Amino acid sequence: MADGHPTPDQDALSKIDTTVPHSARIWNYWMGGKDNYEVDRVAGDAYREVAPNIETMARASRGYLIRTVTFVAGELGIRQFLDIGTGLPTYDNTHQVAQRVAPESRIVYVDNDPLVLRHAQALLTSTPEGVTDYIDADLHEPEKIIEAASRILDFDQPVALMLMGILGHIQDYEEAKSIVRRLQAALPSGSYFVHYDSTDTDAALKEAQQGYDDTGAIPYVLRSPEQISAYYEGLELVEPGIVSCPLWRPEPGTSPEPTDVHGGVALKR
């Protein structure tokens, strides 16, 4: 504390509610991370009892992020990434994967969670050639996100827009589609949309999600594959299209099983 005022870190800590489970912290728990509280572990264990596949889904989602970012930075040559709904850092985060492929990559993370803000310093690492930065902003305000990101990213050059497991937190489906459209509209030609979200295709998952939502935590809406597909309208899908994440360009020699989280990569012409 300087001059009687809380530091940004202290201010972020004061906003962390440890009495209600939080999706970013539970996801961190399922991924084997340490940035969670007892209330998150209890909620995570309760969810897993009803839907035992959830940890597999969490790890499959991270594997999907690694493969998509590697592909977008490598084969597609994209050097700018706007990752909205960052969550808590675990392993192989976007900047690490992208800069492993192309050290000059520029990554902007966006989140408005106070615990993520506290860990922003851990995220703000970069190769000397590249840039990694963090914006404290709300997905409900896409224009503000683009305005802030444009101070770091060049929107005259292609950008990979990443919405990984975050759109379910937008309760109204029409609003979720509107947010996606507005973000995509800001992207120049040659940009890519990289996305996944959990689906409503498994009864156990739906039951577990309802139990989680009933705790008072910020709900997550499971949507149909058809609803998820609508996020890609007007874009050109990269093969194999919108699929269960483990089936998106799996590592050679592996035989992944599908799970209830779907995503894809698509080009904006």
Side-chain angles (χ1 to χ4, degrees), residues 6 28 46 65 70 74 95 97 108-109 122 132-134 159 201 207 220 237 239 259:
N28 176 269
L65 181 150
T70 299
H95 71 286
V97 178
V108 172
Y109 290 110
T132 304
D133 211 337
Y134 173 88
V159 175
T201 44
E207 180 185 346
Y220 181 93
L237 281 163
E239 289 294 331
T259 191

Side-chain angles (χ1 to χ4, degrees), residues 37-240:
Y37 297 98
E38 179 66 19
V39 66
D40 307 307
R41 295 188 286 274
V42 169
D45 290 342
Y47 199 117
R48 185 172 46 202
E49 283 183 18
V50 179
N53 196 38
I54 189 61
E55 275 192 3
T56 300
M57 288 175 59
R59 295 173 191 273
S61 300
R62 180 49 55 113
Y64 171 77
L65 181 150
I66 295 166
R67 295 194 309 281
T68 53
V69 173
T70 299
F71 172 75
V72 170
E75 291 191 38
L76 301 181
I78 300 299
R79 297 292 178 263
Q80 301 189 108
F81 295 80
L82 178 57
D83 185 344
I84 304 175
T86 305
L88 291 164
T90 52
Y91 60 88
D92 278 341
N93 302 289
T94 297
H95 71 286
Q96 294 165 319
V97 178
Q99 292 181 344
R100 200 155 57 219
V101 176
E104 70 273 25
S105 296
R106 303 172 72 87
I107 295 88
V108 172
Y109 290 110
V110 181
D111 211 303
N112 70 337
D113 178 84
L115 189 61
V116 176
L117 181 61
R118 183 188 175 198
H119 285 271
Q121 198 60 42
L123 281 175
L124 297 182
T125 58
S126 176
T127 56
E129 305 95 323
V131 174
T132 304
D133 211 337
Y134 173 88
I135 296 170
D136 183 10
D138 193 322
L139 182 56
H140 289 89
E141 300 178 315
E143 287 76 19
K144 289 186 178 180
I145 290 174
I146 296 297
E147 179 185 2
S150 66
R151 299 177 196 135
I152 303 149
L153 304 178
D154 178 1
F155 280 85
D156 290 328
Q157 299 296 321
V159 175
L161 167 66
M162 299 176 59
L163 295 172
M164 309 293 258
I166 191 66
L167 290 171
H169 287 302
I170 306 297
Q171 299 301 291
D172 182 85
Y173 178 56
E174 292 304 318
E175 183 183 6
K177 286 198 296 183
S178 172
I179 288 168
V180 172
R181 297 285 179 272
R182 288 147 68 192
L183 288 168
Q184 291 171 349
L187 301 176
S189 176
S191 294
Y192 284 85
F193 176 53
V194 187
H195 158 265
Y196 75 76
D197 266 301
S198 299
T199 61
D200 64 356
T201 44
D202 180 75
L205 189 67
K206 290 168 71 173
E207 180 185 346
Q209 187 62 50
Q210 186 59 57
Y212 169 79
D213 293 347
D214 290 343
T215 65
I218 297 172
Y220 181 93
V221 180
L222 299 171
R223 295 192 164 112
S224 70
E226 292 75 22
Q227 287 177 309
I228 286 174
S229 294
Y231 298 144
Y232 297 78
E233 287 176 359
L235 305 179
E236 184 178 308
L237 281 163
V238 172
E239 289 294 331

